[in-house]
Amino acid sequence: MENQNAESVWAQIHGRLQKILADDVQTRWISVIKPLNINDGKLQLGVPNDFYLLWLNENYLPLMQRVAAETLAQPIAIEFLVSSTAALPQETASPEPAPAEPPKKRSAPRPVPALNADFTFENFVVGPSNSLAHAACAAVAQRPAHAYNPLLIYGGSGLGKTHLMQAIGHQVFDSSKTARICYLSAEAFLNEYIESLKNNCPTDFRRRYRSIDVLLLDDVHFLAGKPGIQEEFFHTFNALFDSRKQIVLTCDRPVAEVQGLEPRLVSRFAWGLGVEILPPDLETRIAILRKKAAHHNLQLPQDVVLFIAEKIRTDMRKIEGALTRIALYISLSQQRITVPTVENLLRDTFEKVVPKPSIETIQRTVAETFDLRPADMTSKRRPQSVALPRQVAMYLCRSLTDHSLSAIGDAFGRNHATVIHACRLVEERLQRDPGFRETVESIRSRFST
Ligand code: ADP
Ligand code: MG
């Protein structure tokens, strides 16, 4: 048996179990199991979370050992372990765990199945870029609806918003098994709402979402430009807020900057606390990388860790992908991992370091965009039609190049104070004028390709 791998042993046992167990038990409890290892007469099986672990140990372990012994014609020990490779079934995704006791006690503790088991506070690395968001989430998790309500976490992709939001869900569940916690993306919220309209049961939908203790709604920017669902969410929000239930939201930018979001929603979102997560610094990235590597049982040399942390700077989601590839490489090649190998292996994962544009290129591009002559960038003319583009160009030079204020000033025939003033004006306008922001961002994006 030792020369069979865990997969094939499990496949045999699984085949047998399928004949014995009812279909729903099969889908709910057995199909999520992933074979991990076989060693010394012990088969290790991965399950998605602690709840499955407990439930399977208590209800199905003896049966499975028996079936295994019969199938393999020799006794074998089975051990369940929580493993991130064991995913919850899709869609019906969240198998409502069956009541843990006879039906009369139906309100048995229920985990929050939509939560990723790895997204806990314990697994989150705190650094200067996210410490505020982390502290706010910890406070909310400790006393839902008392600390900050709503709590809004915002920032770019892959910075840990969903992780922190789900950590709240885990902790609330750990401290109160009866709390009704609901995690879903704004997109799923919309889809469920549409479904409920199709099936003529929007009342059920409303009842469901208004009877929650903690609502974790991810990626609210998705609601932008969709007035119907915003209206619905507005009422959900009010109902929950009025009955002192906790609402946690995430967004990919400050909500005031999301175009197409109703002002009344924006103003409600601002009732509580908004915290930003910024891209992590090098130390934090190294710590995240170490933590994830340990989680994957991967030991990486220090220079490899540093190399990856230098290359993956913003989207921490890429770290997971990188580690999976490295793990695969190691298991297939049985070789030590080195910097050149990693460089090869992860070439397309690494964030491209874009060469910085020159001041002249920025001046030329801005002039083109605003239909001016390049000479207008340096001329003494002051009409607004020229002054504003010139200020934009100075602002872009400041944010896209490493030149000093006086070098930028010189290039525009001005002094450094004028550059500071220009940057301030542009930043102010970016805050309040979405059309202007779009123009500036579109110019900026031309330098990133
Ligand atoms: P977002 O929702 O902001 O796009 P996620 O929360 O999905 O990002 O995070 C992306 C990945 O990066 C996840 O695997 C998450 O665990 C990881 N991650 C991001 N920040 C941290 C952190 N500070 N500590 C540990 N893991 C992190
Ligand atoms: Mg997210």
Side-chain angles (χ1 to χ4, degrees):
M1 187 181 59
E2 293 296 337
N3 54 12
Q4 300 195 46
N5 64 23
E7 255 96 338
S8 75
V9 169
W10 171 241
Q12 297 171 50
I13 301 172
H14 191 192
R16 215 30 206 271
L17 284 170
Q18 275 176 320
K19 296 193 186 118
I20 303 174
L21 296 170
D23 283 354
D24 60 336
V25 172
Q26 162 62 30
T27 340
R28 184 170 288 168
W29 300 108
I30 310 297
S31 66
V32 299
I33 298 173
K34 289 279 174 297
L36 299 176
N37 248 315
I38 188 160
N39 249 325
D40 282 336
K42 187 200 272 175
L43 174 65
Q44 294 184 317
L45 299 174
V47 298
N49 55 37
D50 283 327
F51 190 84
Y52 277 90
L53 188 80
L54 275 172
W55 181 260
L56 286 165
N57 270 326
E58 282 182 13
N59 296 279
Y60 293 109
L61 186 59
L63 168 76
M64 286 171 70
Q65 309 243 37
R66 216 167 45 239
V67 170
E70 287 168 17
T71 316
L72 306 169
Q74 68 181 96
I76 180 169
I78 290 180
E79 184 185 18
F80 293 113
L81 301 169
V82 175
S83 155
S84 51
T85 57
L88 293 169
Q90 283 298 305
E91 243 289 274
T92 34
S94 348
E96 288 251 337
E101 279 159 278
K104 49 183 166 47
K105 283 204 177 175
R106 272 216 153 246
S107 56
R110 219 165 62 69
V112 189
L115 297 183
N116 180 329
D118 293 336
F119 287 179
T120 58
F121 282 120
E122 218 172 36
N123 289 340
F124 191 81
V125 175
V126 184
S129 59
N130 60 33
S131 58
L132 196 61
H134 173 266
C137 290
V140 163
Q142 220 158 42
R143 298 198 67 202
H146 280 87
Y148 313 108
N149 204 16
L151 173 64
L152 176 86
I153 312 160
Y154 63 90
S157 182
L159 297 183
K161 302 182 296 296
T162 300
H163 186 139
L164 271 183
M165 168 183 249
Q166 294 203 5
I168 298 178
H170 284 295
Q171 189 173 324
V172 174
F173 177 74
D174 287 344
S175 47
S176 158
K177 300 280 189 262
T178 52
R180 284 157 301 181
I181 302 159
C182 175
Y183 165 84
L184 83 172
S185 66
E187 184 172 8
F189 184 77
L190 170 67
N191 291 339
E192 280 192 31
Y193 178 60
I194 293 174
E195 204 55 31
S196 79
L197 292 180
K198 250 200 255 163
N199 300 329
N200 258 331
C201 51
T203 338
D204 288 356
F205 174 86
R206 285 181 193 136
R207 201 175 305 127
R208 179 151 27 113
Y209 284 106
R210 292 177 199 178
S211 63
I212 286 167
D213 296 312
V214 178
L215 174 63
L216 309 171
L217 190 69
D218 210 352
D219 295 328
V220 289
H221 49 266
F222 181 82
L223 301 177
K226 307 184 179 74
I229 189 67
Q230 286 187 39
E231 164 93 27
E232 188 59 35
F233 183 60
F234 178 73
H235 296 298
T236 307
F237 184 100
N238 290 342
L240 290 174
F241 190 87
D242 291 345
S243 40
R244 307 212 51 168
K245 306 300 188 190
Q246 179 70 50
I247 302 161
V248 184
L249 310 162
T250 69
C251 191
D252 66 354
R253 70 199 77 173
V255 276
E257 285 184 17
V258 180
Q259 290 187 50
L261 208 51
E262 283 184 33
R264 59 181 183 166
L265 268 184
V266 173
S267 81
R268 266 169 181 66
F269 292 172
W271 280 353
L273 177 72
V275 279
E276 181 168 22
I277 304 191
L278 295 167
D281 60 12
L282 181 65
E283 280 80 52
T284 311
R285 301 201 299 274
I286 292 175
I288 294 176
L289 195 52
R290 288 235 171 84
K291 195 149 209 158
K292 299 256 179 215
H295 201 76
H296 287 262
N297 272 328
L298 265 182
Q299 274 163 7
L300 300 178
Q302 173 64 12
D303 57 344
V304 168
V305 170
L306 196 65
F307 180 74
I308 302 175
E310 285 285 6
K311 296 281 188 177
I312 303 181
R313 289 163 172 265
T314 52
D315 189 349
M316 295 300 105
R317 196 168 290 122
K318 290 187 174 163
I319 287 186
E320 281 286 349
L323 292 176
T324 310
R325 269 203 220 178
I326 293 176
L328 188 68
Y329 172 85
I330 293 176
S331 78
L332 293 179
S333 72
Q334 301 289 336
Q335 285 187 24
R336 248 174 47 79
I337 194 84
T338 60
V339 169
T341 331
V342 169
E343 189 165 21
N344 241 329
L345 213 52
L346 303 179
R347 184 158 295 150
D348 49 336
T349 304
F350 290 151
E351 291 163 20
K352 292 194 183 58
V353 180
V354 181
K356 295 187 182 358
S358 68
I359 294 183
E360 296 73 50
T361 313
I362 295 176
Q363 289 175 327
R364 198 164 7 89
T365 311
V366 173
E368 259 168 37
T369 311
F370 288 92
D371 232 355
L372 300 173
R373 291 167 301 131
D376 288 326
M377 290 289 131
T378 48
S379 75
K380 296 285 166 209
R381 295 174 54 215
R382 285 166 183 267
Q384 180 66 4
S385 61
V386 180
L388 181 66
R390 196 187 290 133
Q391 286 158 353
V392 168
M394 290 185 199
Y395 164 84
L396 287 172
C397 288
R398 183 75 185 134
S399 67
L400 295 175
T401 74
D402 292 329
H403 293 292
S404 68
L405 287 167
S406 18
I408 298 172
D410 283 349
F412 285 83
R414 310 267 186 308
N415 63 22
H416 85 284
T418 313
V419 181
I420 295 178
H421 179 65
C423 292
R424 199 167 294 146
L425 287 179
V426 170
E427 274 159 14
E428 269 166 29
R429 183 145 183 185
L430 285 172
Q431 293 288 329
R432 59 182 158 81
D433 182 348
F436 178 68
R437 190 168 50 239
E438 213 164 278
T439 310
V440 174
E441 287 316 311
S442 89
I443 303 174
R444 188 201 297 275
S445 70
R446 292 176 61 180
F447 299 113
S448 61
T449 45

